[in-house]
Amino acid sequence: MGKEYPCAFLLLAIGFLAITTAVLVKVFQPYDLIFKWKLIMADKGEIFNLWAQPPVDLYIKIYLFNITNAEAFLAGREQLKVEQVGPYVYKEIMTHENITFNENNTMSTTPSHPLVWQEHMSEGRREDDEVIMLNIAMLAISHLTASHPFFVRMALKTLFVSTQAEPIVRTTAKEFMFGYPSALARLGNTFLPNWISFEKVGLIDRMYDFSTDFETFYTGVPNPALSGLYATYRGETTLPQWEGDHCSNIEYASDGTKFKSFIEPNETVKFFRKSMCRPINLYRVGEQRTFGSLKGYNYVFEDNAFDNGATNEANKCFCRKGDCQPVGLIDVTDCYYGFPISLSFPHFMNGDVGLQQNVTGMNPDPAQHSSAFVIQPESGLPLSLSVKVQINMHFKDLSNFPTVARFSHLTAPMLWFEIMMPSLPDSLDSRFNFYLNILPLVNPLGFWIALIMGVGLLGYAITRATLHMSSYARQAANISEGKYARANLLQNLTGGATNQVYSPCELKLIDNSAGANKQHVIGRSTDEDLAFQERRRKSAYALDMEPALSDAGESSDEGNECDTLTLSRNSTTSSSCIEIEHCNEEDDICIECFDENPLDSELATRTADGAEAKHQLAVSFVSSGFASSPSSIQSSSSHVNFDSSDGKGWVPYAQPHQFGGTSPKHV
């Protein structure tokens, strides 16, 4: 018993601990705690390293609009005709340099986006392909000075003639994208250093010039969902070229490395890139998609993103200085050094019909020209992205400059680009598969395993303890019953049947039915009572001295298979009986009942011998193992029944033939 209770208590303790663990898992969600901790940007941390130098394959694909009818257009015979050539593909090595952690839970950094030529992805195109493109410098200067005084315009006309500048030039693809020597650019850099700080003009070169940029991003403290999002751009939360938060606020926008975490289904996310010159909202569309082992949702640009307030009143703030361009264009002059640059979707998709009608060669196709981001909403990780934007030159009245007058009120497309990440690399996919698909199983598995184990252990411990307690209770009851039975037996043998120690309510009563065979008769005269009582007192003394009737701890009769002692008296039939069943391997003792009347004549002559036999029986069946010890009671059943309500005594005997009776039969 000493070993059972510690074991039960240990199981109970483990069960309670497991259930407590299940409750804690349900309340605190350990996976969420771990994942939020991982999202926080800390120096040399895993997510920080991925953000600082994203190990992704990010590309920019550039398509140029080659002018195929330059002479006819300048002569006024035809409208501008272009054809798309490309792609010219470069790999973008996106990094965040010179990172400094600030006390306000932000990081300051200088962005870097060098480009590496990818000839194998360019579908046979080469950087030295010859193309016919717009002369950006000449057209930009003409646009900016078209309304200036006559003397300024005359000086510029003289400059154009001296430099033999033409509005349409023949150049290579690389020169147009990354700049080519231009006399006008050199003069502008010399005489107007605050306007042009470079000697060559190239759209992609200017678009990827981050030398003067500095940015701050949130680390994710105290809100991990905001880690990696913009806090300020060039020290401000708003862009100076726009008015109102809708158009200018870049706080909480993403640069494409990481979006907001824990995105709700109906929540929009914000994207900002210098080349776009504005923040733009993205919203979820379509069903869940699978990229590699991760799942995400499509996010697209908001409807009417370039409508300048024609449909969405909030977009009126994109009208630069109150001048709203046609639907489908956004004026980004302030982001491109004062050049009259407008952005649109490729091939003027979703733009004003006039934009397409004024230029031949535009073929908008939503399947090819739409932008889309696939974002994993819990982490904010972009699984795939494709940002497609077209760069155009949008002109006002240029009639004061005859050489460029054909471009008046024309929006001329120059190129469109796609910044793309087809998918995550395998190493990154495997890492985030563990974080986003496997690790989340910690919550449900931890909860159910702990709960089932706890309930199971508690149930087992309680059941086990209950069974052992019941067993010990039965043993204690049997021991007590045995003690009371022996005490009652001693009192009956010594003549104390009227004051039994314990009421024999559970003792087996043998009832002599009417018509039973004639019982052996034991008679006793009144004169013999005193002598017989004396012998019974001696028998009681012998029983008291019998070791088998001592305390339960001293008993040694565990080998008994079954001991049954039944003593009864039937007052209605004036008969007494003793039934003793002793079941060992080879011996049985059975004593039957005898009627008291009529007395057998032979019995009268053997009264003295019978009395002596009675005394011997009382001693012998006690000393021979019928008085069960507590240990024998545990493995057997002992039943003792007494019925002496008529006040007459009964005499046990072992061999009835000694008194003239018949031999007993075994029970």
Side-chain angles (χ1 to χ4, degrees):
M1 180 176 180
K3 296 180 180 179
E4 298 294 343
Y5 283 127
C7 181
F9 285 134
L10 179 61
L11 292 177
L12 283 172
I14 296 175
F16 278 118
L17 180 62
I19 291 178
T20 302
T21 302
V23 173
L24 293 176
V25 168
K26 194 68 174 179
V27 172
F28 293 102
Q29 300 292 312
Y31 166 74
D32 294 344
L33 297 178
I34 295 172
F35 189 68
K36 288 178 180 179
W37 170 70
K38 294 290 287 185
L39 287 175
I40 295 174
M41 301 284 184
D43 192 18
K44 306 303 180 182
E46 182 179 13
I47 300 299
F48 168 79
N49 290 335
L50 294 176
W51 173 82
Q53 296 181 339
V56 298
D57 298 324
L58 188 64
Y59 302 95
I60 178 171
K61 299 170 69 174
I62 304 167
Y63 297 86
L64 303 179
F65 289 110
N66 180 54
I67 299 174
T68 61
N69 66 337
E71 293 182 4
F73 170 72
L74 292 176
R77 298 191 303 268
E78 297 176 0
Q79 67 178 21
L80 187 66
K81 185 182 295 184
V82 299
E83 67 174 355
Q84 175 181 295
V85 294
Y88 299 92
V89 184
Y90 295 85
K91 184 173 183 178
E92 180 178 329
I93 312 300
M94 181 180 183
T95 59
H96 298 91
E97 306 289 343
N98 306 317
I99 302 173
T100 303
F101 285 88
N102 306 316
E103 294 182 357
N104 62 346
N105 297 321
T106 62
M107 306 171 290
S108 298
T109 180
T110 301
S112 176
H113 301 258
L115 300 177
V116 180
W117 168 246
Q118 304 291 306
E119 185 173 357
H120 67 284
M121 298 179 65
S122 299
E123 301 179 9
R125 296 293 176 179
R126 300 173 58 87
E127 288 184 300
D128 58 1
D129 288 345
E130 191 175 83
V131 292
I132 300 174
M133 306 296 294
L134 299 180
N135 187 337
I136 299 174
M138 180 181 181
L139 290 171
I141 293 174
S142 300
H143 175 83
L144 291 174
T145 60
S147 59
H148 279 54
F150 173 77
F151 296 103
V152 174
R153 296 198 306 271
M154 286 298 296
L156 286 176
K157 288 178 183 178
T158 304
L159 181 62
F160 291 157
V161 172
S162 64
T163 59
Q164 298 180 346
E166 294 290 337
I168 297 177
V169 296
R170 187 180 298 272
T171 183
T172 66
K174 182 177 181 180
E175 286 176 341
F176 180 76
M177 291 184 291
F178 294 97
Y180 56 92
S182 170
L184 291 178
R186 285 195 300 271
L187 290 172
N189 178 253
T190 302
F191 297 103
L192 301 171
N194 294 329
W195 174 42
I196 298 177
S197 58
F198 44 87
E199 295 184 356
K200 59 182 182 178
V201 178
L203 285 182
I204 302 301
D205 179 66
R206 294 299 88 203
M207 190 172 74
Y208 274 84
D209 178 22
F210 295 90
S211 59
T212 60
D213 288 4
F214 56 95
E215 306 165 335
T216 58
F217 295 85
Y218 288 108
T219 62
V221 178
N223 186 356
L226 303 180
S227 66
L229 302 184
Y230 272 105
T232 64
Y233 175 72
R234 292 183 176 178
E236 301 292 337
T237 60
T238 58
L239 301 176
Q241 64 268 25
W242 310 117
E243 295 180 358
D245 282 349
H246 175 74
C247 294
S248 65
N249 193 303
I250 55 87
E251 189 178 17
Y252 307 129
S254 169
D255 65 350
T257 308
K258 176 191 172 296
F259 290 86
K260 182 180 181 295
S261 303
F262 311 112
I263 307 173
E264 297 296 332
N266 296 324
E267 185 178 6
T268 61
V269 295
K270 193 183 296 185
F271 175 70
F272 171 71
R273 179 111 174 175
K274 175 186 176 179
S275 58
M276 296 188 66
C277 196
R278 57 161 287 181
I280 189 167
N281 292 323
L282 310 175
Y283 65 95
R284 181 188 296 188
V285 294
E287 300 297 326
Q288 192 176 60
R289 301 178 60 187
T290 300
F291 279 78
S293 57
L294 303 176
K295 295 181 179 180
Y297 291 89
N298 266 358
Y299 284 80
V300 299
F301 291 153
E302 61 185 337
D303 294 336
N304 307 308
F306 295 154
D307 73 344
N308 297 313
T311 303
N312 184 1
E313 187 69 21
N315 287 334
K316 275 191 173 295
C317 53
F318 289 117
C319 296
R320 180 174 177 264
K321 298 180 180 180
D323 183 15
C324 294
Q325 292 191 351
V327 173
L329 297 179
I330 177 173
D331 191 343
V332 293
T333 298
D334 295 317
C335 296
Y336 285 85
Y337 311 99
F339 296 170
I341 301 296
S342 296
L343 301 182
S344 69
F345 292 127
H347 291 256
F348 299 121
M349 184 181 69
N350 300 332
D352 188 272
V353 176
L355 297 174
Q356 301 176 26
Q357 292 176 344
N358 293 333
V359 179
T360 302
M362 296 291 98
N363 300 295
D365 182 359
Q368 298 182 32
H369 302 142
S370 296
S371 300
F373 300 74
V374 180
I375 304 174
Q376 205 284 329
E378 282 75 26
S379 63
L381 178 71
L383 307 182
S384 173
L385 61 86
S386 174
V387 182
K388 300 173 183 177
V389 177
Q390 181 170 300
I391 301 178
N392 315 282
M393 292 192 78
H394 182 75
F395 303 104
K396 297 180 181 178
D397 185 10
L398 300 178
S399 58
N400 290 328
F401 293 98
T403 56
V404 296
R406 284 287 289 145
F407 291 93
S408 295
H409 306 292
L410 177 68
T411 300
M414 292 185 291
L415 63 83
W416 71 272
F417 63 87
E418 176 187 8
I419 299 175
M420 55 169 284
M421 183 187 71
S423 62
L424 293 178
D426 292 340
S427 59
L428 207 57
D429 180 83
S430 300
R431 183 183 301 185
F432 278 92
N433 177 47
F434 173 76
Y435 289 144
L436 300 172
N437 295 334
I438 298 175
L439 200 58
L441 298 177
V442 167
N443 283 350
L445 287 180
F447 172 75
W448 287 111
I449 290 174
L451 182 63
I452 292 173
M453 184 175 70
V455 172
L457 287 175
L458 282 180
Y460 176 74
I462 293 173
T463 302
R464 184 170 180 177
T466 302
L467 291 175
H468 281 290
M469 292 177 65
S470 300
S471 176
Y472 288 126
R474 287 195 302 270
Q475 292 177 9
N478 289 338
I479 292 172
S480 299
E481 180 183 338
K483 289 182 178 180
Y484 288 129
R486 290 196 300 273
N488 292 337
L489 176 61
L490 292 175
Q491 287 202 12
N492 277 281
L493 291 176
T494 55
T498 56
N499 290 315
Q500 294 183 358
V501 176
Y502 186 73
S503 177
C505 60
E506 297 180 359
L507 303 182
K508 181 179 178 182
L509 176 64
I510 298 180
D511 190 13
N512 297 318
S513 61
N517 294 331
K518 185 177 182 295
Q519 304 289 325
H520 294 278
V521 178
I522 298 176
R524 183 174 71 247
S525 63
T526 305
D527 295 336
E528 295 173 343
D529 284 346
L530 294 177
F532 183 68
Q533 293 294 336
E534 181 64 24
R535 290 184 178 88
R536 288 172 64 180
R537 281 191 291 273
K538 292 179 180 181
S539 298
Y541 176 76
L543 288 173
D544 291 338
M545 297 300 292
E546 174 59 39
L549 297 178
S550 61
D551 190 78
E554 301 174 0
S555 176
S556 61
D557 62 342
E558 296 180 1
N560 295 337
E561 293 295 331
C562 59
D563 299 334
T564 303
L565 175 64
T566 305
L567 307 176
S568 66
R569 175 182 178 87
N570 192 322
S571 60
T572 60
T573 59
S574 300
S575 64
S576 300
C577 68
I578 302 174
E579 181 183 32
I580 301 174
E581 181 182 356
H582 181 67
C583 302
N584 285 324
E585 293 182 358
E586 298 181 355
D587 58 299
D588 292 326
I589 298 178
C590 299
I591 301 178
E592 293 187 348
C593 301
F594 301 90
D595 291 336
E596 295 186 33
N597 292 302
L599 293 176
D600 195 312
S601 59
E602 184 179 355
L603 178 62
T605 61
R606 300 183 181 180
T607 300
D609 294 336
E612 184 64 27
K614 299 169 190 174
H615 172 71
Q616 294 176 358
L617 175 61
V619 176
S620 63
F621 77 78
V622 174
S623 62
S624 61
F626 289 102
S628 299
S629 65
S631 61
S632 66
I633 292 171
Q634 297 179 27
S635 61
S636 62
S637 60
S638 299
H639 303 281
V640 182
N641 293 330
F642 300 97
D643 186 1
S644 44
S645 59
D646 60 351
K648 296 183 180 181
W650 50 269
V651 180
Y653 71 99
Q655 301 294 337
H657 64 274
Q658 296 178 359
F659 308 104
T662 61
S663 299
K665 63 180 179 179
H666 292 280
V667 180

